[in-house]
Amino acid sequence: MEELRLKYNEEKASFQIANFLSRHLLPETVFLCIGTDRFITDSLGPIVGNLIFRSLPPIYYVYGTLKNPVHAINLEENLRYIKKKHPYSKIIAVDASLGEEENIGKISIKKSPIHPGKGVGKILPPVGDLSIVGIVDSFHAKDLNSIRLGFIYEIAETIANGILIASYSKSLSF
């Protein structure tokens, strides 16, 4: 399986993300940014969605922003809508994840779906042809809202910048 793993603050992290993504972007790709701003640890997806929503070239689509989040309660409804409106589009899912302490701050991009809610015991459908996951806290954290919003935002900026670089460079070749 094709995969990229890197720390959010590595030098040129956004360019590494862009390089990986540009091999997979097609016109009408959908970015599905999962999460909610009601919990800081789950806000990565909608922050990324917000950061790319107005700046993405018009041949791509974004679902999941701070204003209109896609989360556990409305995920299946949104997936039905996306599959109806964009039946042949590739979906790139973006979500936060819990992991081992030493992996906090790492970003993982895989050519496989993500399983939203898995880290907190929810059973939701797998999502995406490609997945971008930011590890924001530990599985073992006693208080999942002890993480700083600024930290989540920094990870989101790295991911969003990578998406924007890839989308602009790729859109020039279509």
Side-chain angles (χ1 to χ4, degrees):
M1 173 187 351
E2 206 175 344
E3 179 178 9
L4 171 69
R5 290 185 68 107
L6 65 146
K7 193 87 168 164
Y8 79 98
N9 57 357
E10 276 182 33
E11 188 175 336
K12 300 185 181 178
S14 292
F15 290 101
Q16 291 179 60
I17 292 169
N19 185 45
F20 186 95
L21 288 178
S22 64
R23 295 192 302 266
H24 301 284
L25 287 180
L26 299 170
E28 299 193 26
T29 295
V30 171
F31 290 91
L32 180 57
C33 302
I34 303 166
T36 177
D37 61 346
R38 292 181 184 255
F39 301 101
I40 290 173
T41 52
D42 200 26
S43 64
L44 179 74
I47 292 171
V48 170
N50 242 55
L51 291 170
I52 66 174
F53 181 72
R54 286 193 173 82
S55 301
L56 216 57
I59 59 170
Y60 304 110
Y61 302 96
V62 177
Y63 293 89
T65 61
L66 292 169
K67 186 175 182 178
N68 295 302
V70 174
H71 45 68
I73 296 169
N74 67 12
L75 176 65
E76 292 182 63
E77 172 189 334
N78 275 283
L79 281 174
R80 282 192 299 275
Y81 177 81
I82 290 167
K83 287 179 181 176
K84 185 176 181 183
K85 185 153 172 77
H86 313 283
Y88 305 107
S89 294
K90 183 177 278 196
I91 297 175
I92 298 178
V94 181
D95 199 4
S97 180
L98 302 176
E100 295 298 331
E101 193 113 355
E102 64 271 10
N103 291 325
I104 294 172
K106 286 192 176 174
I107 297 167
S108 173
I109 306 176
K110 295 181 186 176
K111 194 174 177 187
S112 66
I114 59 171
H115 300 271
K118 185 178 177 183
V120 290
K122 293 185 179 176
I123 300 171
L124 297 167
V127 180
D129 300 292
L130 212 78
S131 59
I132 303 174
V133 174
I135 300 173
V136 298
D137 207 350
S138 167
F139 287 123
H140 312 293
K142 291 177 177 40
D143 178 7
L144 288 178
N145 274 320
S146 65
I147 204 79
R148 288 181 33 255
L149 178 59
F151 174 66
I152 303 291
Y153 194 85
E154 288 176 10
I155 297 171
E157 279 185 312
T158 300
I159 294 169
N161 288 339
I163 290 170
L164 292 172
I165 293 165
S167 66
Y168 275 98
S169 66
K170 192 68 175 188
S171 68
L172 295 173
S173 66
F174 293 134

